[in-house]
């Protein structure tokens, strides 16, 4: 799962278990895994058709979902990925994580872009309440869609407790498994244009070709769209490794084994890997735009994500300046304490209660 998936999983796990006085109907668009049925007060329902295409999404949300809401006598509809039904009068809450597609339209395939730009303004207006994952995103939703500030609640993302510091011996084992024993720079995230992975590879390659660092580059993530390929020069292929998707436990080990996380996105609504790295005692290099400075504060080293030279110079600094590294690790461990899925679930439920209380 990526950010949206973890937000849904972690918040619904807590909310359903903490509120046995309520009944929860979970709508799935395909056969589901039992691990998502967290407690006895959940009724799982498969609603057809599978909604993984813009046309099918319209059918699912505007026709299938209203029928299901009525059938199961629901009081509130909560959607954690920005989408809503435009064909029901039921009170609705949606979670809009970010509006990258509004600001960087070339990042998306045309079919997906057309759907999002047409429908998301309607979802934002239709919602009785909106939750989002940073104050940056809240301000962006207000400015872009003209939404009233008091209709939007900020529910920061959390971080799994599996992300922890590891001992040197275990770190060496991780490096042996993934980079043949070499220290590594880590990237985590979907391979999507806004993650800026191509510029990171160029910056890393400049340092590596000059012999400035012994590190390899380890990339954890899968392509979000097949068209978004990454180019690696032939002479760099032995130093740059792609793992594809890994389990959460393996990701935690990979994160803790890194010498730094390089997360130089040019657009983020939050940036969960920042917090995962900070909690793991790993120094972070991040882009200096959108929500990343809000999340990292002074516990992160920043660069201009649009400048390969800036990424290159700051990457060298974070890998070679021992005093800075120790300072960032200490600050990061403290900053990570501000983020917890317990807090996220608490704040999301408060927003749901505002709708419930208003309807009574």
């Amino acid at each position: 799962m990526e950010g949206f998936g973890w937000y849904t999983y972690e918040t619904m796990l807590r909310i359903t278990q903490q509120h046995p006085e309520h009944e929860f109907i979970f709508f799935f668009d395909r056969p589901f895994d039992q691990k998502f049925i967290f407690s006895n007060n959940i009724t799982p329902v498969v609603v057809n058709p599978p909604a993984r295409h813009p046309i099918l999404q319209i059918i699912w949300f505007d026709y299938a979902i209203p029928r299901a809401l009525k059938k199961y006598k629901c009081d509130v509809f909560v959607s954690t990925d920005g989408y809503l039904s435009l064909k029901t009068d039921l009170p609705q809450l949606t979670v809009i994580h970010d509006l990258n597609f509004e600001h960087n339209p070339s990042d998306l395939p045309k079919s997906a872009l057309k759907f999002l730009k047409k429908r998301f303004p309607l979802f934002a207006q239709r919602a009785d309440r909106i939750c989002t994952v940073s104050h940056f995103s809240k301000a962006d939703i207000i400015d872009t869609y003209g939404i009233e500030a008091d209709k939007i609640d900020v529910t920061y993302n959390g971080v799994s407790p599996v992300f922890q510091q590891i001992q040197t011996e275990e770190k060496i084992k991780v490096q042996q498994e993934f980079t043949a024993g070499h220290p590594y720079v880590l990237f985590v995230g979907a391979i999507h244009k806004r993650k800026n992975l191509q510029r990171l590879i160029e910056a890393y390659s400049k340092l590596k070709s000059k012999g400035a660092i012994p590190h390899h580059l380890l990339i954890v993530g899968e392509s979000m769209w097949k068209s978004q390929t990454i180019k690696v020069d032939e002479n760099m292929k032995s130093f740059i490794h792609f793992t594809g998707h890994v389990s959460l436990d393996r990701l935690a080990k990979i994160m803790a084994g890194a010498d730094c996380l390089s997360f130089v996105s040019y657009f983020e609504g939050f940036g969960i890997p920042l917090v995962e790295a900070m909690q793991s005692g790993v120094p972070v290099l991040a882009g200096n735009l959108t929500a990343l400075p809000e999340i990292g504060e002074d516990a992160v080293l920043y660069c201009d994500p649009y400048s390969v030279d800036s990424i290159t110079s700051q990457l060298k600094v974070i890998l070679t300046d021992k005093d800075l590294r120790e300072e960032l690790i200490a600050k990061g461990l403290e900053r990570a304490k501000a983020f917890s899925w317990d807090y996220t679930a608490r704040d999301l439920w408060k927003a749901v209660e505002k709708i419930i209380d208003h309807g009574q």
Side-chain angles (χ1 to χ4, degrees):
M1 292 185 289
E2 303 294 341
F4 291 16
W6 283 118
Y7 184 101
T8 305
Y9 179 89
E10 299 287 0
T11 57
M12 292 302 132
L13 169 67
R14 289 162 174 78
I15 286 173
T16 53
Q17 293 179 352
Q18 292 168 3
H19 296 279
E21 73 278 14
H22 290 287
E23 181 183 359
F24 297 86
I25 314 296
F26 280 10
F27 295 139
F28 297 88
D29 73 337
R30 60 194 59 210
F32 55 89
D33 193 311
Q34 276 298 132
K35 71 182 180 183
F36 297 114
I37 312 306
F38 310 118
S39 53
N40 293 331
N41 57 339
I42 297 171
T43 301
V45 178
V46 175
V47 178
N48 288 314
R52 301 304 165 101
H53 181 278
I55 294 174
L56 294 175
Q57 287 166 349
I58 292 172
I59 294 171
W60 202 77
F61 279 96
D62 283 358
Y63 298 97
I65 285 297
R67 287 196 297 269
L69 291 168
K70 186 175 182 179
K71 178 180 179 180
Y72 290 94
K73 300 178 180 178
C74 299
D75 299 299
V76 178
F77 180 51
V78 177
S79 172
T80 55
D81 60 1
Y83 294 69
L84 284 180
S85 175
L86 302 179
K87 300 289 187 179
T88 180
D89 294 329
L90 207 68
Q92 298 184 79
L93 179 150
T94 191
V95 183
I96 298 177
H97 295 256
D98 66 69
L99 298 178
N100 176 60
F101 62 89
E102 295 283 8
H103 305 287
N104 299 289
S106 62
D107 286 1
L108 281 75
K110 289 183 179 179
S111 59
L113 177 65
K114 183 179 178 181
F115 175 84
L116 294 174
K117 286 185 73 68
K118 181 178 180 180
R119 303 281 287 187
F120 260 66
L122 301 176
F123 296 153
Q125 294 294 336
R126 172 61 188 85
D128 293 86
R129 294 211 67 78
I130 296 171
C131 287
T132 192
V133 293
S134 62
H135 289 282
F136 163 79
S137 281
K138 177 175 179 175
D140 195 20
I141 294 166
I142 292 169
D143 293 343
T144 305
Y145 293 150
I147 304 299
E148 306 86 352
D150 60 3
K151 178 175 162 177
I152 306 174
D153 299 292
V154 173
T155 59
Y156 279 135
N157 283 310
V159 58
S160 171
V162 303
F163 290 92
Q164 298 290 335
Q165 290 179 282
I166 59 176
Q167 298 298 320
T168 301
E169 296 79 10
E170 193 168 3
K171 186 171 181 176
I172 291 171
K173 288 181 182 178
V174 175
Q175 292 173 352
Q176 288 173 339
E177 179 178 358
F178 290 96
T179 54
H182 297 279
Y184 58 86
V185 175
L186 179 64
F187 166 87
V188 175
I191 298 176
H192 180 289
K193 282 185 181 178
R194 67 164 161 170
K195 301 296 183 181
N196 210 27
L197 183 54
Q198 190 64 60
R199 287 193 182 94
L200 172 60
I201 288 173
E202 291 175 24
Y204 166 80
S205 299
K206 288 177 76 172
L207 287 177
K208 191 66 178 175
S209 63
K210 294 177 181 177
I213 54 172
H215 299 75
H216 285 213
L217 176 60
L218 187 62
I219 296 166
V220 178
E222 293 182 341
S223 178
M224 196 162 181
W225 287 290
K226 291 181 180 178
S227 61
Q228 301 199 358
T229 56
I230 297 298
K231 296 178 182 178
V232 177
D233 289 343
E234 197 64 37
N235 63 335
M236 285 290 123
K237 287 185 176 179
S238 61
F239 306 116
I240 299 176
H241 313 273
F242 293 81
T243 69
H245 175 75
V246 298
S247 69
L248 184 64
D249 288 339
R250 281 177 68 77
L251 175 60
K253 295 297 185 187
I254 292 169
M255 182 69 79
D259 268 16
C260 85
L261 174 74
S262 189
F263 196 74
V264 296
S265 302
Y266 53 74
F267 199 102
E268 290 289 338
F270 183 90
I272 291 176
L274 262 66
V275 186
E276 293 171 343
M278 290 190 289
Q279 188 168 284
S280 302
V282 174
V284 178
L285 173 65
N288 62 3
L289 301 175
T290 63
L292 296 180
E294 175 185 343
I295 304 308
E297 292 191 342
D298 66 347
V300 168
L301 181 67
Y302 297 98
C303 64
D304 176 358
Y306 288 108
S307 167
V308 172
D309 288 343
S310 176
I311 300 170
T312 303
S313 62
Q314 293 295 72
L315 184 58
K316 183 178 180 180
V317 167
I318 202 169
L319 291 173
T320 59
D321 188 328
K322 186 173 182 294
D323 291 339
L324 175 64
R325 289 175 53 78
E326 291 179 355
E327 178 185 345
L328 291 175
I329 289 170
K331 288 182 175 180
L333 289 168
E334 190 62 30
R335 177 60 179 154
K337 295 176 183 177
F339 305 99
S340 164
W341 289 119
D342 290 337
Y343 304 156
T344 314
R346 175 199 65 197
D347 295 340
L348 177 58
W349 183 248
K350 284 181 180 178
V352 173
E353 284 188 317
K354 291 177 183 178
I355 295 180
I356 296 172
D357 294 342
H358 186 265
Q360 292 178 345

